[in-house]
């Protein structure tokens, strides 16, 4: 597995990973057009990369296998897992053919390192309580701090 920083050229791959995150249960209810039209969802990628954005792309066999990225969102335009203006919120997606191969843990480990290097004190995310990724987040130290809609907000203290 090859891990590298996410760049502006990765917008198509990150878009695909956003859709994987939204359609985590295998139901293809969200497509790119719907994501772009939904300001609440598209704010995770709109204008990628902004000066404070950071992320990791995993490649296996020369193909994008998964990615995670972090973005600072604000109280006036919060994300689903918004905690505070100074807490980056993560988005994570893994392509179906690459699941259960350590991709999610690898990109999360790397983005946590990036956040620490950038001197952030916390990371946040939003996850459906039934999403199996929740167990991975918990194993890395994320803890539930709230509920927005039907999803849990989780925070990792760095």
């Amino acid at each position: 597995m090859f891990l590298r920083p996410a760049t502006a050229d990765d917008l198509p791959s990150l878009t695909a990973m956003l859709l994987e995150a939204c359609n985590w249960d295998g139901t293809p209810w969200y497509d790119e057009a719907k994501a772009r039209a939904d300001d609440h969802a598209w704010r995770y990628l709109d204008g990628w990369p902004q000066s404070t954005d950071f992320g990791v792309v995993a490649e296996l066999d020369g193909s994008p296998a998964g990615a995670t990225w972090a973005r600072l969102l604000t109280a006036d335009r919060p994300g689903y897992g918004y905690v505070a203006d100074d807490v980056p919120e993560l988005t994570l997606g893994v392509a179906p053919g690459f699941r259960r191969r350590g991709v999610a843990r690898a990109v999360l480990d790397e983005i946590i390192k990036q956040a620490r290097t950038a001197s952030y004190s916390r990371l946040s995310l939003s996850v459906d309580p039934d999403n199996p990724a929740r167990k991975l987040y918990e194993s890395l130290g994320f803890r539930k701090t709230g509920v927005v809609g039907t999803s849990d907000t989780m925070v990792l203290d760095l």
Side-chain angles (χ1 to χ4, degrees):
M1 180 180 328
F2 176 65
L3 300 177
R4 60 174 180 74
T7 68
D9 292 337
D10 291 310
L11 181 59
S13 294
L14 298 182
T15 301
M17 293 305 106
L18 176 67
L19 297 178
E20 292 301 331
C22 292
N23 300 325
W24 65 269
D25 67 353
T27 305
W29 66 274
Y30 225 67
D31 61 20
E32 184 174 345
K34 186 172 181 181
R36 285 179 179 270
D38 179 353
D39 176 60
H40 203 89
W42 193 244
R43 67 186 61 173
Y44 291 99
L45 286 173
D46 190 26
W48 173 267
Q50 296 175 3
S51 63
T52 56
D53 291 346
F54 56 103
V56 181
V57 174
E59 295 178 353
L60 279 167
D61 305 324
S63 297
T68 187
W69 62 98
R71 174 166 272 190
L72 290 173
L73 297 170
T74 57
D76 63 325
R77 287 189 76 223
Y80 294 107
Y82 174 83
V83 173
D85 287 7
D86 63 346
V87 177
E89 186 177 343
L90 297 180
T91 304
L92 168 76
V94 177
F98 296 102
R99 292 184 181 151
R100 303 215 177 270
R101 294 174 65 181
V103 173
R105 182 174 294 276
V107 294
L108 283 167
D109 285 343
E110 185 61 29
I111 205 160
I112 289 167
K113 288 177 195 171
Q114 289 180 1
R116 285 183 175 131
T117 298
S119 299
Y120 288 109
S121 61
R122 297 180 291 168
L123 289 171
S124 72
L125 58 83
S126 175
V127 64
D128 187 284
D130 295 327
N131 187 330
R134 181 188 176 88
K135 290 181 182 174
L136 171 62
Y137 301 141
E138 289 170 340
S139 77
L140 292 169
F142 283 86
R143 68 189 191 314
K144 179 180 172 180
T145 59
V147 177
V148 175
T150 60
S151 295
D152 293 338
T153 299
M154 299 183 80
V155 173
L156 175 66
D157 291 319
L158 301 170

